């Protein structure tokens, strides 16, 4: 069986550890869309050990914090679906009132053309720094 999250990074890598990686997904409508992907092929959250679940969720929260600090979205959507790719990963999607689907979910019918413009090189640099800061602040607790 092949798995696209085992076979490839899944986007532009913003953070990589032994256990997981954070990537910016290549999505023209949502250029700051990130995923937190567990490196080892695991199908369900409950297949992870408790400390692994904690590490994964702390990283999801750190990505949310970093996105809020970096681009100040109106809302953040978090989701772990995996129906099409049964490999544990979380979607962290910054939402704006003028994004293509707002206030509907990103998989709904588009309400308008995309208007989100982000300098991705600048975003990646800022996001990496904000993500490191968010991860460090969590380790202080």
């Amino acid at each position: 069986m092949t798995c696209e999250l085992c076979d490839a990074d899944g986007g532009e890598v913003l953070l990589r550890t032994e256990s997981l990686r954070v990537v910016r997904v290549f999505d023209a409508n949502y250029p700051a869309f990130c995923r937190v992907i567990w490196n080892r092929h695991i199908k369900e959250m409950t297949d992870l050990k408790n400390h692994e679940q904690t590490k994964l969720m702390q990283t999801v929260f750190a990505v949310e914090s970093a996105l809020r600090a970096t681009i100040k979205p109106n809302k953040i959507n978090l989701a772990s679906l995996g129906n099409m790719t049964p490999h544990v990963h979380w979607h962290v999607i910054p939402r704006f009132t003028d994004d293509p689907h707002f206030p509907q979910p990103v998989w709904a019918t588009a309400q308008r053309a995309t208007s989100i413009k982000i300098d991705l090189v600048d975003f990646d640099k800022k996001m990496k720094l904000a993500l490191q800061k968010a991860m460090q602040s969590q380790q202080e607790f």
Side-chain angles (χ1 to χ4, degrees):
M1 180 179 106
T2 63
C3 171
E4 67 183 86
L5 297 180
C6 289
D7 297 339
D9 286 333
E12 178 67 30
V13 177
L14 302 174
L15 173 80
R16 184 186 305 271
T17 71
E18 184 178 323
S19 303
L20 55 81
R21 64 193 179 273
V22 176
V23 301
R24 177 180 46 78
V25 176
F26 303 124
D27 186 322
N29 288 326
Y30 296 92
F33 177 159
C34 293
R35 279 194 193 115
V36 180
I37 303 166
W38 197 254
N39 289 332
R40 197 170 72 246
H41 188 85
I42 298 290
K43 185 175 176 182
E44 305 294 348
M45 288 287 294
T46 53
D47 292 336
L48 295 170
K49 296 177 177 135
N50 288 343
H51 74 277
E52 293 173 325
Q53 293 171 355
T54 299
K55 179 184 280 190
L56 179 61
M57 292 314 300
Q58 285 177 329
T59 305
V60 169
F61 300 145
V63 173
E64 178 180 313
S65 294
L67 284 166
R68 292 180 70 196
T70 302
I71 59 172
K72 299 177 181 22
N74 297 101
K75 181 72 177 94
I76 299 275
N77 290 171
L78 301 176
S80 179
L81 306 169
N83 296 333
M84 299 298 293
T85 306
H87 179 129
V88 168
H89 65 284
W90 280 82
H91 302 266
V92 186
I93 309 168
R95 302 295 307 275
F96 296 90
T97 57
D98 62 345
D99 76 36
H101 300 90
F102 198 87
Q104 302 302 317
V106 297
W107 57 81
T109 302
Q111 308 291 309
R112 64 197 66 80
T114 189
S115 62
I116 301 169
K117 304 289 187 241
I118 294 176
D119 176 338
L120 294 177
V121 172
D122 185 57
F123 170 79
D124 289 351
K125 287 178 188 174
K126 289 179 179 176
M127 189 63 183
K128 287 175 183 180
L129 291 172
L131 191 51
Q132 288 175 352
K133 184 177 180 181
M135 296 287 283
Q136 287 172 344
S137 71
Q138 286 187 350
Q139 292 175 359
E140 294 171 3
F141 292 100

